[in-house]
Amino acid sequence: MIKKSEIKKKINLILELQRNGINDPKVLKVIEEIDRNLFVEEDFRQKSYENIALPIDCGQTISQPLIVALMTQYLDLNKNMRVLEIGTGSGYQTFILSKLTRFVYSIERYKSLSIKAQNLFKDLNVTNIFTRHADGGMGWKEQAPFDRIIVTACALDIPGKLLDQLSVNGKMIVPIGDQYNEQKLQKITKNNKNIEIQDLGSVRFVPLLEGKVSK
Ligand code: SAH
C-alpha cells in the first residue's frame, strides 16, 4: 500500500511527466496506479517517485520514470500485442507493459535480477509476463515474431537478430550509442521491404552487453 505522504510525490511526478510530453491517458494511468517503490531497493525507497534512475542489484539501474513513460508511449500498444523486452532489470517497465498489452516476453542477462523480478510478478499475480535468463541480443526465437520490441539497455547498432524477430509493421524502440558518447533513442518501424528510423532524442542507458550471461 502506498503511504499518504507518497501520494503527493506521485501526483507531482505525473504532472512532471505531462509537462514533458506524456499525454497518452493510458500510460499516465498505469504509472499512477503502479507503485514504483515495489521495484526500488529499500535504501532508495524515499526517492521512488522522483523522476530519476536509481541503482538496483548487479550495478544496473531502474530507468527514470519519464524515459519509461516515453518509451511506453512511443510503443503505441494495444491489448492484443506480443511484446519483447530486452533488459528486465527491476521489472518496473515490464509490469507497466503487461498492463497495456496481451503478452510480455522479457529477457535479462543477470540471473539474480531475472529471478527477483519473476518472484515479484508472482506476488503481484501477473499471468501475462514470461521471463528468460539469456542474452537478449539473440531475441526469443521460439516466441517470434513480436509486434513490438523494447530494448532498455543501449546497443551499439540496431540489433539484427531483434529486427529479424519483429513483425512486418512492427516497431522497436532502442537506445543506440555507446557508454561514453551521446546515445540516441530510436524508433525502428519495419516495413515490407525496408526499415524506417526515427530519432527520438538523447538518452542515457547502461550498455546492452553481448555474449555470456551472468549469475
Ligand atoms: N527496464 C529496466 C532497466 C534496467 S537497466 C528497469 O527499469 O528496471 C538495463 C538492463 O538490461 C539491466 O538489468 C542489464 O542487466 C540488462 N541487459 C544488458 N545487456 C543485456 C543483454 N544482452 N541481454 C539481456 N539483458 C541485458
Side-chain angles (χ1 to χ4, degrees):
M1 257 311 274
I2 186 161
K3 289 190 208 126
K4 268 192 178 161
S5 60
E6 282 175 348
I7 294 176
K8 202 170 164 219
K9 289 188 192 168
K10 218 174 188 182
I11 292 170
N12 284 335
L13 175 63
I14 298 295
L15 292 173
E16 187 170 347
L17 299 185
Q18 284 180 310
R19 280 196 301 275
N20 285 283
I22 307 303
N23 49 26
D24 182 335
K26 287 185 293 185
V27 174
L28 289 165
K29 186 165 180 268
V30 287
I31 295 201
E32 198 178 330
E33 281 171 1
I34 292 172
D35 291 343
R36 188 173 182 243
N37 60 359
L38 295 175
F39 300 86
V40 167
E41 294 297 314
E42 217 167 325
D43 288 352
F44 296 97
R45 292 225 170 114
Q46 77 282 8
K47 292 185 189 291
S48 293
Y49 300 104
E50 288 183 26
N51 187 22
I52 50 175
L54 293 167
I56 56 172
D57 287 349
C58 308
Q60 305 303 311
T61 52
I62 173 170
S63 303
Q64 182 193 355
L66 177 60
I67 294 297
V68 171
L70 269 178
M71 289 174 95
T72 308
Q73 184 165 280
Y74 284 129
L75 280 176
D76 191 19
L77 297 170
N78 69 40
K79 275 286 187 186
N80 303 317
M81 290 175 170
R82 295 157 52 77
V83 179
L84 175 66
E85 178 192 40
I86 310 303
T88 315
S90 66
Y92 177 59
Q93 170 83 73
T94 324
F95 191 48
I96 288 177
L97 298 173
S98 78
K99 297 280 180 192
L100 295 168
T101 198
R102 185 141 187 232
F103 294 121
V104 184
Y105 299 86
S106 186
I107 307 177
E108 171 56 55
R109 69 181 292 282
Y110 281 102
K111 194 170 187 178
S112 58
L113 288 177
S114 182
I115 290 175
K116 197 170 175 184
Q118 220 173 298
N119 288 335
L120 197 49
F121 301 145
K122 211 164 137 199
D123 291 346
L124 293 164
N125 295 316
V126 188
T127 53
N128 63 341
I129 296 176
F130 304 92
T131 57
R132 189 181 218 187
H133 168 231
D135 175 8
M138 299 292 116
W140 195 325
K141 210 173 164 195
E142 301 81 358
Q143 296 296 344
F146 299 97
D147 303 296
R148 298 289 186 263
I149 298 179
I150 172 172
V151 184
T152 72
C154 190
L156 290 174
D157 225 325
I158 299 171
K161 289 238 164 58
L162 299 186
L163 200 54
D164 291 345
Q165 295 178 23
L166 189 62
S167 326
V168 173
N169 295 324
K171 295 183 208 307
M172 168 157 61
I173 306 289
V174 52
I176 303 284
D178 62 45
Q179 254 175 299
Y180 311 102
N181 295 297
E182 199 188 16
Q183 303 175 356
K184 291 274 185 203
L185 191 63
Q186 296 193 338
K187 175 158 113 182
I188 322 288
T189 307
K190 186 170 173 179
N191 299 321
N192 261 322
K193 289 197 180 125
N194 56 0
I195 58 166
E196 239 172 73
I197 303 175
Q198 202 185 330
D199 229 319
L200 305 172
S202 298
V203 284
R204 180 127 297 275
F205 276 89
V206 296
L208 181 75
L209 299 173
E210 281 177 38
K212 220 170 149 244
V213 291
S214 302
K215 283 185 184 159

